[in-house]
Amino acid sequence: MTGKQIVVLVVGAIIGIAGLRYVGLLVLIPALSVAACWWIFTRLGLHPRLVLPLAVAGGHGIWFFIGTVMALAAGGGAQTLIEVGLETAIVLAIVAWGCVSRSRPALGVLIAYEIVSIGFNAMAWSGAGDLRPILAVHIGLRIVAIIGAALALGRWLEIAPSQ
């Protein structure tokens, strides 16, 4: 194991423990979703700098999908399906675009989308009540995706396919 991998493992474990204390077991769904995307994208040969933002956003999208199914099972109506289903489709489309094109525009759109979404999450904060811990996880995932995409853009010469 390299030094960077050990640091990522330790930081991930700390975030996971903090997440479990603050949110409870529900944090396992996004954690496992991000881990699955990370594994898949690594196996697909994505550049390591692209794996972080796309795995976090992809795992977040899978969490949305699971949340949609859970909301419908709990009696959620058409509005829930439209709101969460639309966000799921948008996130997964951006991630698919990023995986296929491996382009700067895809990362730029991911950053823009996540920034706008954080704005909506911030507006929802005051009315979230008991759901604030879950909303905090959403915001945290968005921030990590933004930072990862910004770092990838900042080091684009390492990622860009040679022509």
Side-chain angles (χ1 to χ4, degrees):
M1 231 183 206
T2 68
K4 285 183 183 180
Q5 289 172 325
I6 292 170
V7 169
V8 168
L9 183 65
V10 169
V11 170
I14 291 169
I15 291 170
I17 292 167
L20 280 171
R21 289 190 70 123
Y22 184 57
V23 180
L25 289 177
L26 189 60
V27 79
L28 287 178
I29 296 171
L32 292 174
S33 299
V34 169
C37 286
W38 194 292
W39 184 81
I40 290 167
F41 296 159
T42 301
R43 297 295 174 261
L44 288 174
L46 254 62
H47 190 281
R49 293 211 183 268
L50 292 175
V51 171
L52 172 65
L54 295 178
V56 170
H60 199 185
I62 291 170
W63 187 25
F64 286 143
F65 176 75
I66 293 168
T68 301
V69 172
M70 290 172 66
L72 290 174
Q79 182 176 351
T80 301
L81 179 61
I82 292 169
E83 289 173 359
V84 182
L86 181 61
E87 185 151 16
T88 302
I90 291 169
V91 169
L92 295 179
I94 293 170
V95 170
W97 177 29
C99 287
V100 171
S101 72
R102 301 172 190 206
S103 68
R104 290 192 302 192
L107 291 175
V109 168
L110 176 63
I111 290 170
Y113 172 77
E114 297 292 13
I115 289 171
V116 169
S117 295
I118 288 173
F120 282 111
N121 291 157
M123 288 189 303
W125 187 265
S126 63
D130 291 340
L131 297 177
R132 280 189 184 151
I134 295 169
L135 193 55
V137 173
H138 281 289
I139 293 169
L141 288 171
R142 293 182 193 289
I143 290 170
V144 171
I146 290 168
I147 292 169
L151 289 171
L153 288 173
R155 305 283 269 211
W156 190 254
L157 292 178
E158 296 175 19
I159 300 168
S162 50
Q163 300 186 355

